[in-house]
């Protein structure tokens, strides 16, 4: 009958309705709004997101990281400090001696490092380009490499000024200085071109180190090179301390100085050398060790905590090597104070006096 047919259709329709309701439940759960805490951007990326390494070429994050702001501010201070040093040395003929040429090389490298940090912030949050990001990373690698190598060249120049004091002021010294500058910048530019020309981990993220897009092998080479430079600087400064101690002792005997005066003079020179080497070690050693021991699975905060002191070495360098120099102080004072003559007679000091 008609009623029996309607009952059979109703019985067959009920399972279909149940199946449709079960299928619609997951869709309803997917359309439900997520927890608001999950949508909030985090300053520190979690390890599950795969962003454990410091990424210098990643897509711009949802919020501005305070670590990137700190890098940008540090870069601005570094650029201003070292731009003044470069301008003073370039505009003052009396400061174009071998020693000040090396200081100008150091200031130029630190100036480029500061500009690289500023450009990194701009291209990360304002202008997005993978090629430009790689160029910025190459600029940072080249500038920091030139900065470290310039510190080594200054150390070599100081040692030679003490070891060969009678022949230091000669044409050979000028030629040697230019050769060192050519070698420093050739090696540094070559290291900076490596990530730009393809030695990066953009195509293969598994090869990344603690600083992207640099590979783990690239960071190992840079770290080993740093330890070699640091070892040579340590050896040279030990030799400088021995020469300073011997010269101070000889001068004390010739002029009949008291032993206390000889001790004070020598201690002041050794403490200055300890300050120079100590500042370099404290700034760069943590980051170099972390590049060797760490990998991309480590939290990003570890990379920032070791990288910030390293870049701050470029902030300390002009204070140690330039602004403490009496000749640069005199030129700077002349520029700032118009009441003084611009042609102040002064003798360019040797590296051993700095």
């Amino acid at each position: 009958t008609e009623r029996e047919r309607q009952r059979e259709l109703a019985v067959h329709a009920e399972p279909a309705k149940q199946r449709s309701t079960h299928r619609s439940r997951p869709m309803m759960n997917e359309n439900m709004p997520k927890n608001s805490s999950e949508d909030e951007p985090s300053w520190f990326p979690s390890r599950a997101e795969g962003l454990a390494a410091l990424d210098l070429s990643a897509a711009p994050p949802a919020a501005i990281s305070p670590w990137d702001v700190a890098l940008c501010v540090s870069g601005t201070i570094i650029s201003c400090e070292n731009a003044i040093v470069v301008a003073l040395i370039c505009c003052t003929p009396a400061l174009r001696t071998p020693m000040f040429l090396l200081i100008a090389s150091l200031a130029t490298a630190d100036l480029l490092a500061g500009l690289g940090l500023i450009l990194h912030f701009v291209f990360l949050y304002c202008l997005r380009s993978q090629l430009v990001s790689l160029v910025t990373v190459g600029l940072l690698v080249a500038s920091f490499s030139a900065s470290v190598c310039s510190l080594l060249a200054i150390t070599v120049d100081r040692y030679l000024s003490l070891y060969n004091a009678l022949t230091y002021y000669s044409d050979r010294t000028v030629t040697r200085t230019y050769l060192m500058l050519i070698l420093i910048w050739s090696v540094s530019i070559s290291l900076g071109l490596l990530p730009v020309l393809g030695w990066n981990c953009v195509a293969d993220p598994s090869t990344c180190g603690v600083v992207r897009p640099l590979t783990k092998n690239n960071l190992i080479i840079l770290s080993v090179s740093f330890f070699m430079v640091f070892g040579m600087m340590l050896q040279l400064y030990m030799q400088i301390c021995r020469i300073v101690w011997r010269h101070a002792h000889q001068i004390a005997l010739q002029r009949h100085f008291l032993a206390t005066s000889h001790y004070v003079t020598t201690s002041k020179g050794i403490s200055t050398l300890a300050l120079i080497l100590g500042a370099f070690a404290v700034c760069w050693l943590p980051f170099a060790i972390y590049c060797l021991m760490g990998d991309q699975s480590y939290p990003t905060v570890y990379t920032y905590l070791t990288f910030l002191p390293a870049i701050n070495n470029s902030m300390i360098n002009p204070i140690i090597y330039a602004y403490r120099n009496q000749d640069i102080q005199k030129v700077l004072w002349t520029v700032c104070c118009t009441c003084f003559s611009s042609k102040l007679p002064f003798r360019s000091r040797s590296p051993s006096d700095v």
Side-chain angles (χ1 to χ4, degrees):
T1 62
E2 189 67 24
R3 292 183 180 180
E4 292 179 351
R5 291 178 182 179
Q6 290 179 359
R7 290 177 183 176
E8 291 178 356
L9 291 175
V11 171
H12 290 294
E14 287 181 359
K17 290 181 180 181
Q18 292 178 358
R19 286 195 299 269
S20 62
T21 55
H22 285 298
R23 290 176 182 176
S24 62
R25 285 176 185 176
M27 298 297 296
M28 295 175 59
N29 293 334
E30 292 178 359
N31 296 328
M32 291 178 64
K34 297 181 180 179
N35 191 0
S36 60
S37 61
E38 296 178 359
D39 295 336
E40 294 179 357
S42 175
W43 282 354
F44 303 102
S46 62
R47 298 177 62 178
E49 294 174 352
L51 296 175
L54 171 58
D55 199 339
L56 298 180
S57 63
I64 296 179
S65 170
W67 294 104
D68 292 327
V69 174
L71 292 179
C72 184
V73 172
S74 299
T76 305
I77 298 174
I78 290 169
S79 301
C80 295
E81 283 183 339
N82 291 279
I84 295 174
V85 177
V86 173
L88 290 177
I89 295 177
C90 292
C91 298
T92 307
L95 296 181
R96 295 171 188 172
T97 60
M99 175 191 63
F100 287 108
L101 288 178
L102 295 175
I103 295 178
S105 173
L106 174 64
T108 303
D110 291 334
L111 172 62
L112 293 177
L115 294 177
L117 293 172
I118 297 174
L119 292 176
H120 161 64
F121 183 85
V122 172
F123 291 122
L124 182 62
Y125 291 99
C126 301
L127 304 174
R128 182 61 192 161
S129 173
Q130 181 175 342
L131 177 60
V132 176
S133 299
L134 289 175
V135 172
T136 304
V137 173
L139 175 62
L140 289 173
V141 173
S143 57
F144 283 124
S145 300
S147 177
V148 173
C149 292
S150 296
L151 291 175
L152 176 62
I154 292 174
T155 307
V156 172
D157 188 63
R158 286 181 170 181
Y159 171 76
L160 294 177
S161 69
L162 293 172
Y163 186 76
N164 298 322
L166 298 178
T167 60
Y168 177 78
Y169 295 97
S170 62
D171 295 336
R172 294 179 58 185
T173 303
V174 178
T175 304
R176 183 179 62 244
T177 301
Y178 282 114
L179 290 177
M180 285 193 297
L181 291 176
I182 293 173
L183 180 62
I184 287 170
W185 286 99
S186 299
V187 173
S188 301
I189 292 174
S190 300
L191 292 174
L193 287 176
L194 291 178
V196 180
L197 297 178
W199 197 12
N200 54 63
C201 62
V202 175
D204 188 7
S206 62
T207 62
C208 290
V210 295
V211 179
R212 296 181 182 179
L214 300 179
T215 63
K216 178 67 175 178
N217 294 332
N218 195 346
L219 290 174
I220 290 176
I221 291 176
L222 294 175
S223 300
V224 172
S225 301
F226 166 78
F227 284 113
M228 293 174 61
V229 171
F230 180 72
M232 288 186 285
M233 289 180 62
L234 183 61
Q235 180 66 24
L236 287 172
Y237 274 121
M238 290 177 61
Q239 296 295 330
I240 290 174
C241 290
R242 293 177 183 176
I243 296 174
V244 169
W245 184 274
R246 185 170 63 249
H247 285 186
H249 182 67
Q250 292 175 355
I251 293 174
L253 293 178
Q254 292 176 0
R255 299 184 180 181
H256 304 287
F257 286 169
L258 295 177
T260 55
S261 176
H262 159 63
Y263 175 76
V264 171
T265 304
T266 307
S267 299
K268 185 181 295 185
I270 294 177
S271 62
T272 302
L273 298 179
L275 172 65
I276 294 172
L277 193 62
F280 179 71
V282 170
C283 291
W284 276 106
L285 275 179
F287 183 68
I289 295 174
Y290 183 68
C291 288
L292 285 176
M293 306 298 294
D295 54 43
Q296 59 178 333
S297 63
Y298 283 38
T300 316
V301 64
Y302 293 167
T303 307
Y304 280 112
L305 289 177
T306 55
F307 185 60
L308 276 174
I311 67 173
N312 286 334
N313 183 246
S314 298
M315 193 184 303
I316 299 173
N317 286 335
I319 299 174
I320 295 178
Y321 293 94
Y323 294 125
R324 291 176 64 251
N325 184 275
Q326 294 183 4
D327 296 336
I328 293 181
Q329 289 178 0
K330 191 175 295 185
V331 174
L332 185 60
W333 184 259
T334 303
V335 173
C336 295
C337 301
T338 56
C339 57
F340 288 84
S341 175
S342 60
K343 297 183 179 180
L344 292 177
F346 61 90
R347 176 183 65 87
S348 181
R349 297 171 177 264
S350 65
S352 59
D353 297 332
V354 181

